[in-house]
Amino acid sequence: MRLIFALLTLISSLLADDFITRMEYAELLYLNPRGIGCDKCHGNDAKGKVIASFRQKGEIRKLIAPPISNITKANFFKALDNPKTVMPKYSLTNEEMESLYEYVTKQP
Ligand code: HEC
């Protein structure tokens, strides 16, 4: 009985390590970064998209979230710390930003 318990504990601790991979974790963060998901504006594949189009002074204008899959790490971190227009300010840890960066730059 004690042996079985020990084995079960061992197996579950081994499984727990691989419960989700780094990439799965990063994807969850991308979709749900304690706030509106990055995907809503930058698209599922981080290649950017048109958030809205509207008419201003007779001209059709577009509000665009830029692609973020091909950006330097420095610029990525800077943008998250200091969004310029409609992008929300997130309170992400360095580790979370690292994961997000890895995720967006690995999009095919
Ligand atoms: C509401 C829409 C919206 C959401 C949600 C959003 N962004 Fe943005 N993002 C933008 C827009 C628009 C810009 C262009 C400049 C600005 O507003 O800061 C931008 C700019 C960026 C840039 C800089 C791109 C460059 O070329 O300089 C990065 C990096 C970025 N976003 C990453 C993210 C990440 C990561 C998330 C999720 C944690 C996210 N964004 C969520 C709209 C959004």
Side-chain angles (χ1 to χ4, degrees):
M1 192 63 194
R2 212 184 274 167
L3 180 66
I4 291 172
F5 183 69
L7 277 177
L8 281 177
T9 310
L10 178 69
I11 290 168
S12 67
S13 71
L14 287 176
L15 287 176
D17 266 349
D18 285 325
F19 183 52
I20 58 170
T21 64
R22 281 168 62 87
M23 266 302 147
E24 282 164 346
Y25 166 73
E27 182 180 10
L28 290 177
L29 207 52
Y30 184 74
L31 299 175
N32 191 6
R34 288 194 303 278
I36 174 170
C38 317
D39 60 311
K40 300 287 185 302
C41 294
H42 293 281
N44 275 331
D45 55 3
K47 308 282 189 233
K49 67 179 201 179
V50 176
I51 307 171
S53 51
F54 51 95
R55 192 177 284 275
Q56 191 179 48
K57 295 184 184 149
E59 274 178 45
I60 301 210
R61 309 276 234 114
K62 288 187 172 130
L63 180 60
I64 291 169
I68 52 171
S69 56
N70 192 5
I71 183 174
T72 65
K73 196 185 257 192
N75 286 343
F76 185 84
F77 274 58
K78 202 161 70 187
L80 279 173
D81 276 338
N82 194 10
K84 293 193 206 100
T85 60
V86 297
M87 177 159 150
K89 174 106 177 93
Y90 294 91
S91 301
L92 297 165
T93 65
N94 261 352
E95 243 170 40
E96 287 170 329
M97 290 195 275
E98 290 277 352
S99 295
L100 281 172
Y101 183 71
E102 195 180 334
Y103 180 75
V104 298
T105 51
K106 289 221 170 108
Q107 291 307 300

